[in-house]
């Protein structure tokens, strides 16, 4: 039996490169070879055992730049071409899909979460989930998905030039949301406990302010808005405490967008929520339009892979590197696995 190499998370805290049967291309699918796999917060959470929508063992990886190996003759896909992968496989028929909200399909299967993902030498995926990105390198294609998460959150909030925006949590997703909020004209402030990530925000997000989340940071946030609060607040921390604190920074009539996912309940003061008439949004995954918006931004030079990708490893190297990066993110913005 012909086999392929795959990085498998057998259970929380246990990674190994294993040989698995070579995938067979299904009807309406293309067989693709991953060339770059971005390591996402979701992957770190899977390794730690903190992902609520997953069963083990699992091949992780959903931030993918892939090379087409086999495809249906009528697919229009170029054999040998490099494509972005939309990892959200939807049913197309449920109530969400019928409304065009494929990102929250009731039967959604996310690569690397609900079904095996791209940390492997071959994978078969639906043709419709391959996004043409002519002119983008493999590194750039691997950036599109995580930036699309941020772009979708900004779209949910309908950020405009009239908005003062607070982005809580300067990980890759948060930085992506900050970037697209800035590109939409918002006056962006980024807050984080990690000074290094704030330095990254200053480099990557045009005209943003940064606030170190230590000591009197609440007073500094008040000073930015003359104590009026922010028109739009995004939380991308993955921290329940942070999400609950974030309500206080939303101005009257403002919007609060929860980008990160946490286990358990979120609590807030109902009287304050109604007094301010806050609009509360969940933001899940991304839509095709968000992928296209990101591809256009990369082509325009608004997001350069050399500035975002800071760490690299191989499929076998990730067995040691991924666990290390779970706890030591010094200088880390985005890590990628290179597969030849």
């Amino acid at each position: 039996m012909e086999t392929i190499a795959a990085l498998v998370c057998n259970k929380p805290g246990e990674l190994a490169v294993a040989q698995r049967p070579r995938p067979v291309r299904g009807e309406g699918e293309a067989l693709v070879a991953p060339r770059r796999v971005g390591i996402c917060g979701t992957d770190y959470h899977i390794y730690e055992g903190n992902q609520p929508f997953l069963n083990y063992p699992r091949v992780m990886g959903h931030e993918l730049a892939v090379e087409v190996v086999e495809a249906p003759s009528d697919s229009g896909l170029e054999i040998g071409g490099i494509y972005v992968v939309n990892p959200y496989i939807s049913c197309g028929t449920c109530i969400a899909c019928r409304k065009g909200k494929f990102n929250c399909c009731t039967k959604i299967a996310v690569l690397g979460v609900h079904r095996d993902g791209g940390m492997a030498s071959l994978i078969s995926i639906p043709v419709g989930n391959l996004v043409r990105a002519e002119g983008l390198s493999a590194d750039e294609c691997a950036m599109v998905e995580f930036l699309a998460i941020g772009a979708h959150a900004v779209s949910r909030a309908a950020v405009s030039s009239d908005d003062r925006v607070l982005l809580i949590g300067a990980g890759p997703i948060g930085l992506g949301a900050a970037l697209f909020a800035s590109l939409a004209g918002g006056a962006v402030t980024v807050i984080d406990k990690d000074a290094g990530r704030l330095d990254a925000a200053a480099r990557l997000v045009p005209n943003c302010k940064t606030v170190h989340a230590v000591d009197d940071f609440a007073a500094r946030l008040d000073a930015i808005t003359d104590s009026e609060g922010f028109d739009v607040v995004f939380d991308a921390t993955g921290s329940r405490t942070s999400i609950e604190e974030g309500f206080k920074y939303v101005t009257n009539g403002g919007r609060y967008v929860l980008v990160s996912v946490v286990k358990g309940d979120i609590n807030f003061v109902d009287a304050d929520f109604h007094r301010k008439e806050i609009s509360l949004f969940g933001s899940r995954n991304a839509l095709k339009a968000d992928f296209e918006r990101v591809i256009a931004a990369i082509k325009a030079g608004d997001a350069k892979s050399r500035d975002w990708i800071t760490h690299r490893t191989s499929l076998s190297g990730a067995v040691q590197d991924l666990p290390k990066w779970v706890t030591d993110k010094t200088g880390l913005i985005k890590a990628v696995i290179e597969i030849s």
Side-chain angles (χ1 to χ4, degrees), residues 82-324:
I82 302 296
Y83 290 79
V84 172
V85 172
N86 178 341
Y88 317 119
I89 300 173
S90 57
C91 72
T93 60
C94 72
I95 184 169
C97 290
R98 295 198 304 271
K99 293 180 178 180
K101 294 186 68 66
F102 303 102
N103 60 313
C104 51
C105 167
T106 62
K107 301 175 183 177
I108 199 165
V110 180
L111 293 177
V113 180
H114 305 101
R115 60 183 275 183
D116 284 341
M119 292 186 186
S121 52
L122 281 175
I123 183 173
S124 186
I125 61 173
V127 166
N129 286 78
L130 291 172
V131 182
R132 190 177 300 277
E134 189 174 353
L136 267 61
S137 67
D139 278 357
E140 290 170 329
C141 285
M143 293 173 51
V144 171
E145 191 275 341
F146 81 83
L147 289 175
I149 300 289
H152 182 71
V154 170
S155 177
R156 290 281 286 151
V159 173
S160 74
S161 58
D162 295 327
D163 293 321
R164 292 177 292 197
V165 177
L166 177 64
L167 198 296
I168 307 171
I173 300 297
L175 290 172
L179 171 63
F180 282 91
S182 178
L183 294 176
V188 177
T189 298
V190 178
I191 183 170
D192 199 284
K193 294 180 179 179
D194 188 321
R197 289 196 166 185
L198 294 177
D199 290 341
R203 294 194 310 271
L204 299 171
V205 182
N207 305 314
C208 82
K209 296 181 175 70
T210 60
V211 172
H212 198 193
V214 294
D215 300 331
D216 61 343
F217 70 89
R220 280 173 283 157
L221 291 177
D222 280 344
I224 290 170
T225 66
D226 296 324
S227 298
E228 290 183 336
F230 291 86
D231 303 289
V232 186
V233 176
F234 296 92
D235 187 279
T237 63
S239 163
R240 183 175 67 180
T241 300
S242 175
I243 291 172
E244 292 176 348
E245 284 287 308
F247 283 89
K248 69 174 64 172
Y249 305 123
V250 185
T251 192
N252 287 42
R255 291 98 77 197
Y256 190 19
V257 185
L258 306 185
V259 188
S260 54
V261 178
V262 297
K263 289 183 176 180
D265 298 334
I266 299 298
N267 299 299
F268 56 88
V269 179
D270 186 60
D272 287 346
F273 179 76
H274 280 82
R275 175 178 59 81
K276 291 184 177 181
E277 197 180 53
I278 294 172
S279 296
L280 180 62
F281 295 86
S283 182
R284 186 184 187 192
N285 304 331
L287 293 166
K288 182 179 179 181
D290 303 308
F291 280 78
E292 292 172 346
R293 186 175 301 113
V294 170
I295 289 169
I298 292 174
K299 288 183 177 180
D302 294 321
K304 298 179 175 65
S305 59
R306 65 176 181 269
D307 297 327
W308 289 77
I309 298 175
T310 56
H311 292 57
R312 296 178 186 270
T313 189
S314 62
L315 206 59
S316 59
V319 175
Q320 287 78 40
D321 289 334
L322 193 152
K324 178 177 64 178

Side-chain angles (χ1 to χ4, degrees), residues 33-37 64-67 69 82 118 120-121 138-139 142 337-340:
R35 294 299 179 225
R36 300 287 188 277
V37 186
L64 304 176
V66 301
E67 179 182 341
V69 176
I82 302 296
S121 52
D139 278 357
I337 296 172
E338 297 185 353
I339 305 176
S340 61

Side-chain angles (χ1 to χ4, degrees), residues 2 4 21-26 28-34 66-72 77-81 121-127 130:
E2 188 175 355
I4 63 162
R22 187 181 194 272
V24 176
R25 181 169 63 84
E29 294 189 338
L31 193 65
V32 300
V66 301
E67 179 182 341
V68 175
V69 176
E70 298 176 8
L77 297 176
E78 176 190 353
I79 303 301
S121 52
L122 281 175
I123 183 173
S124 186
I125 61 173
V127 166
L130 291 172

